[in-house]
Amino acid sequence: MANFEGYLFKSGNDIFPHEYIAYESYSTLPNSREEIKAYRDDNTRNLTRVTAQGTKSSMSFKTRGNLHLEDCQAILKWFTDHESNAQERKLTLTYWNNESLEYKTSEFYRADIKFEIKQISGNDIWYKEFEVSLVEY
């Protein structure tokens, strides 16, 4: 049995709160390979690939819908509290790698987030679901 400890990712000992994640939207691209060069022989059509030694992972998820302003602030604060470089949105995460079925730790950046408002009422905002993408350095 894999050593899953009940969380998808954390920074230090601080687990990202699962209540904000729409589970069915959580996706990962673990240990992604990069082709430095790939081509087919003109005559035999055999494929030649030169693949980089290193691999990188990425993950993304959508938040649940109808988040209030307070929820949005909590999500953003979780990320900004763990950034080592705010300009790059760089943070160190321990994450569940779905290919190797183990936890790994690496540096990621948080891609830009597009926010959409569902409703405004008084001093509160309801947000539609939004996507958070994390890409390994």
Side-chain angles (χ1 to χ4, degrees):
M1 173 132 173
N3 63 345
F4 185 69
E5 297 175 15
Y7 67 89
L8 296 171
F9 64 92
K10 68 179 183 176
S11 185
N13 292 321
D14 196 5
I15 296 170
F16 183 81
H18 287 178
E19 66 262 21
Y20 295 126
I21 298 173
Y23 290 128
E24 67 279 1
S25 73
Y26 189 86
S27 66
T28 63
L29 187 58
N31 307 325
S32 184
R33 276 91 172 148
E34 181 180 355
E35 299 301 326
I36 296 171
K37 183 192 316 185
Y39 61 91
R40 290 203 178 269
D41 180 272
D42 287 340
N43 186 39
T44 65
R45 302 311 296 153
N46 290 339
L47 179 64
T48 300
R49 295 172 60 206
V50 179
T51 305
Q53 290 296 313
T55 62
K56 299 298 177 183
S57 296
S58 61
M59 60 190 127
S60 66
F61 64 91
K62 290 183 180 176
T63 63
R64 60 180 173 80
N66 295 317
L67 292 175
H68 290 264
L69 178 58
E70 179 180 60
D71 299 316
C72 187
Q73 287 173 323
I75 292 168
L76 294 174
K77 184 175 179 350
W78 189 94
F79 285 107
T80 58
D81 282 354
H82 297 97
E83 291 172 351
S84 60
N85 182 324
Q87 180 65 29
E88 295 178 9
R89 295 186 185 135
K90 183 178 185 178
L91 64 161
T92 301
L93 297 176
T94 300
Y95 65 100
W96 179 250
N97 183 303
N98 284 300
E99 184 174 288
S100 61
L101 300 176
E102 64 184 349
Y103 285 101
K104 292 189 174 181
T105 301
S106 191
E107 293 182 322
F108 286 79
Y109 73 87
R110 179 174 48 92
D112 294 341
I113 297 173
K114 180 180 178 181
F115 298 95
E116 295 182 63
I117 294 173
K118 183 174 183 176
Q119 181 179 343
I120 295 174
S121 178
N123 61 354
D124 197 5
I125 301 172
W126 280 268
Y127 291 91
K128 292 183 178 181
E129 63 184 25
F130 57 87
E131 186 169 9
V132 176
S133 297
L134 302 163
V135 181
E136 187 176 5
Y137 268 82

